[in-house]
Amino acid sequence: MSDRRRPLRVGVQLPEVEREVRWSESLAMANAAEAIGLDSLWVGDHFLYRSPGRPARGPWEAWSMLAALAAATERIQLGPPVAATSFRAPALLAKMAATVDEISGGRLILGLGAGWNETEYRAFGFPFDQRVARFEEAFTIIRTLLREGRIDFEGRFYSARDCELLPRGPRPDGPPLMIG
């Protein structure tokens, strides 16, 4: 039995709803996180928050931010702590993940989940019902495309007929997946 302990991995999530954070500040935080040796940088995949007694607020679109941060950093791993699979067609989300993984040189960690904030679902026109069943189908499409590069799928909520993910990202099995 080995005494070796796993190194502590530390990351940071960019602020998304506490206040408006402009690109220049997000970039400065990412560069500082990388410079001090943090392992990961996370960008929340949300659109809108509303709370009683507070003004409405919302972050920048996560995948655009991730692509920009991937191009502007060199070492730190990047990802959405949880990308709501119902915010985008699953095959498109797989394509976006492969693209960010390419831009980052294989540093994407793809967090996926069913979503929870009914306010943003309603405001942006996404169905809020049966989120877990929708997630199951979306996850099947995303995982298969990233791992195998192709899928032929017809479900209750989503379809990806004779779909191929080309070009493939930098890792043969795609980025690591994290479920939240």
Side-chain angles (χ1 to χ4, degrees), residues 63 66-67 70 78 94-110 146 168-176:
W63 287 93
L66 285 168
L78 307 159
K95 183 79 168 177
M96 293 164 64
T99 301
V100 169
D101 204 36
E102 172 68 21
I103 294 167
S104 72
R107 294 181 286 129
L108 178 71
I109 299 170
L110 180 55
L146 290 172
R168 298 297 305 277
R171 296 182 270 190
D173 291 331

Side-chain angles (χ1 to χ4, degrees), residues 19-78:
R19 61 185 173 79
E20 184 177 288
V21 178
R22 306 303 296 190
W23 164 247
S24 59
E25 186 177 355
S26 294
L27 178 59
M29 285 188 283
N31 288 331
E34 193 164 62
I36 65 171
L38 293 181
D39 295 306
S40 57
L41 181 64
W42 303 91
V43 177
D45 187 25
H46 289 283
F47 300 130
L48 179 66
Y49 291 96
R50 291 187 182 131
S51 306
R54 292 189 68 186
R57 59 211 183 282
W60 299 107
E61 194 280 318
W63 287 93
S64 300
M65 290 293 287
L66 285 168
L69 290 166
T73 58
E74 296 178 1
R75 181 198 54 77
I76 201 163
Q77 292 182 306
L78 307 159

